[in-house]
Amino acid sequence: MSEERRRILVIHGPNLNLLGVREPGHYGQMTLPEIERELAAIAGSMGYEIVSFQSNHEGALVERIQAERERVRGVLINPAAYTHTSVAIRDALLAVGLPVVEVHLSNIHRREAFRRHSYVADIAVGQLTGLGPDSYFLGLVALINHIEGFRGLPRAS
Ligand code: DQA
């Protein structure tokens, strides 16, 4: 596989653009650009790069997942509220056939009952939830490990 494809698509659903100011009790203080900087550093240490996309629109998320189909090796996704509602995002992930890791900052199993169901969980390699930004960071490592077929944390270079 070409170097060109050592990329991970990172998808952020609605309202995640407001991280840092949005309900910090649930979602913490880290902003999306801060999370993305860290993700890029982790990916880099494992020989990958990330391509990130945030949208508040379901169709835009579907279109981006489709568009990156041939350019990335896996998808790290926080579908946000669409986790609990979107058959369209589930179907897009199934359609592209890439390995998926689902992440959530808050623990969706400790909140309102409607957050416990995820349309992505059963088609994902795994779900990390409730670890704050570590859900993203550990999820990225797990996704790359899954793709590369090895286990362990990235080595410091
Ligand atoms: C979230 C959890 C969802 O239930 C919620 O709608 C979000 C964020 C999380 O990261 O904890 O917007 O995905």
Side-chain angles (χ1 to χ4, degrees):
M1 204 174 276
S2 71
E3 271 303 298
E4 229 190 344
R5 281 204 59 193
R6 290 172 71 85
R7 287 200 201 107
I8 300 294
L9 176 61
V10 181
I11 292 280
H12 311 278
N15 301 305
L16 294 173
N17 53 312
L18 293 183
L19 286 182
V21 294
R22 173 191 180 204
E23 299 185 83
H26 282 306
Y27 304 119
Q29 312 279 352
M30 221 169 167
T31 65
L32 202 56
E34 287 167 347
I35 289 174
E36 292 195 338
R37 262 198 299 281
E38 192 61 32
L39 285 174
I42 293 167
S45 77
M46 297 178 81
Y48 275 72
E49 58 185 54
I50 61 163
V51 182
S52 292
F53 184 67
Q54 189 279 328
S55 178
N56 297 322
H57 302 276
E58 188 176 23
L61 294 164
V62 167
E63 281 176 359
R64 190 60 186 258
I65 291 165
Q66 290 185 9
E68 296 291 343
R69 181 168 58 99
E70 310 240 306
R71 300 192 202 122
V72 300
R73 292 200 192 172
V75 183
L76 184 74
I77 185 166
N78 182 349
Y82 289 138
T83 306
H84 320 296
T85 63
S86 181
V87 177
I89 290 174
R90 173 193 176 88
D91 283 354
L93 293 169
L94 284 171
V96 298
L98 293 163
V100 174
V101 169
E102 175 187 352
V103 300
H104 301 282
L105 295 153
S106 65
N107 184 341
I108 59 172
H109 304 290
R110 290 183 61 184
R111 299 181 61 192
E112 301 96 324
F114 68 82
R115 293 187 202 274
R116 287 186 203 134
H117 178 257
S118 163
Y119 277 98
V120 173
D122 68 306
I123 62 161
V125 174
Q127 181 196 67
L128 286 94
T129 185
L131 303 175
D134 275 346
S135 294
Y136 280 92
F137 306 149
L138 297 171
L140 177 64
V141 172
L143 178 59
I144 295 175
N145 281 352
H146 174 83
I147 293 163
E148 297 287 338
F150 65 82
R151 288 172 191 280
L153 293 171
R155 285 162 216 252
S157 50

